[in-house]
Amino acid sequence: MPKLLSKSKLVAFRLCPKRLWLAVNRPSLREVSDATARNFDAGHQVGAVARRVYDARERGTLVDIDDLGFAGALRRSRALLGAKSPQPVFEAGFAAAGVLAFADVMLPATRPRSGMPPERSTSWRMIEVKSTTTLKDYHRDDVAIQTFAALQSGIELSAVAVAHLNKGSVYPGDRNYGGLFCEVDLTAEVMTRQAEVAEWVDDAHRFSQRQREPRQAMGAQCAEPFECAYRAHCEARTPPVKAAKYPVIWLPQVRTTALKERIAALSAQARAPDMRHIDDSLLSTEQLRVKTATLAGKVAFDRRKSRAALAPHGEAPTFLDFETIAFAVPRWAGTTPWQQVPFQFAAHRVEADGTLSEHGHLDLTGNDPRPGLVRALVHTFGGTHRARPVFAYNAGFERTCLEQLAAAVPRHRRELLDIAARLVDLLPVTRAHYYHPAQCGSWSIKQVLPTIAPDLDYQALDGVQHGQAAQDVYLEAIAAETSEQRRTQIDAQLRDYCALDSYAMVVLWAKLAGRAVPAAPSAMSAE
């Protein structure tokens, strides 16, 4: 048998030949990022649910490669797929024509036919399960390779499909995941691509046997459709390019054809595109403000217009920030795949006497956090505070959260939609009237805040310093094996982080509105 290339290596070859060569010849250089590890975990969770969905009677068999090893898994797969009374098989392995692949789901499609040998007596419906909510282009190559491996192993296939998550399915609870998947039939497509796949396999084997590491310029393939595990290696071997003093990547919203063509022309001249080489006539008002401020090294701040923009919202506003979590496989009834579900909010309120009060809610029980969070929201923003505007940064996110909460907890639908209607977005006001060269083209609040209040430093927070870390520790907190001591520590870290997000808006609002920053209710301070 010739040396085998796994399906994942062949998909890697399709994305970037060098990725395949490194996987075969320099596997020790592989570095799996935290984001990739999270995607693997999601894939395992989705696969486990798929086995329940496609084997409701629990008659199927999982081929466990961890227990059996590759050789044992292949032997076990052949036995199960050749059984006289076939049942569903999960993670069945195929090794033929230089390809090694494992199928997520194999369902017997016909009864055994008399007069035929067992291994040819049943045709199978093969299904690849994906944790995305849409069919991706690389999934098509993935399934074509899998089909090739199965057919070359002598398996008769009646149908081939991809099952991806159904974004519109609402989990009813009680572990009922019947509507979780959407199937896309690819039978006709993959069957017509088998000669093409055979060429990929031959090319990949030849390429992987090269003696020297191939040269390959870094590009979009290093991050799309998923991050390459050899990116750090390639970055280390890529000759440094003289960086532009004022990179054009700091220009926001590059959309016009003329500007894109000018940037491309500069790149073709083997120079790092610099804002100094971009004619002002090609820039929008916002882009020109960024360029002018950057080249001058001065803050662009129109105090009069920013004050005028905020004046209609009064002198006693409130501020709101959510932290959310998303599961590929919905955890709580009434949620959908990958839905962002709020588990925490922090709020600040400027009181009538000019002081600042802090509010919030955090649920680390692992139960559905929405009912308790809704009650806290209504208490914080309702009642005598219903006339106050509610500031958020990039408020579309908070609006979506509130609208989804209103649908999930209809008892408080009116109050939640009232809060949503009072939202005021600080982001467009900031973009229109404020820019500091240190923002480097970004209006993320974590990029803006240090230019206004350098003493408010997310890096000084303990444990949780950004949104992804907040999600990671939330998952840790709700895990059964997490100690109460650690859970208490996480509680404090999340409260500090979310409160800083909310307080950052207070500081920003004061800057834009031309007001003094209200005294911070905790150790936080700003100049």
Side-chain angles (χ1 to χ4, degrees), residues 173 387 395 473:
V473 298

Side-chain angles (χ1 to χ4, degrees), residues 18 22 213 216 218 222 230-238:
K18 184 178 179 179
L22 290 169
E213 180 177 330
Q216 174 72 47
M218 297 190 68
C222 301
Y230 300 95
R231 182 170 185 165
H233 166 74
C234 292
E235 286 176 341
R237 294 175 65 90
T238 300

Side-chain angles (χ1 to χ4, degrees), residues 189-240:
E189 175 184 325
V190 297
M191 291 302 181
T192 60
R193 299 183 71 188
Q194 292 306 289
E196 181 184 353
V197 175
E199 293 181 3
W200 302 346
V201 174
D202 289 342
D203 291 344
H205 275 280
R206 283 194 296 270
F207 195 89
S208 68
Q209 293 165 12
R210 290 188 176 187
Q211 296 301 307
R212 294 184 177 181
E213 180 177 330
R215 294 183 178 181
Q216 174 72 47
M218 297 190 68
Q221 78 279 3
C222 301
E224 297 294 337
F226 44 80
E227 187 174 17
C228 177
Y230 300 95
R231 182 170 185 165
H233 166 74
C234 292
E235 286 176 341
R237 294 175 65 90
T238 300

Side-chain angles (χ1 to χ4, degrees), residues 29 41 105 114 178 241 273 306 329 339 343 372 426 455 463 473 513 519:
L29 298 175
D41 289 342
V105 181
S114 60
V241 177
S306 67
V329 177
Q339 178 182 335
F343 63 86
L426 273 174
D455 289 348
V473 298

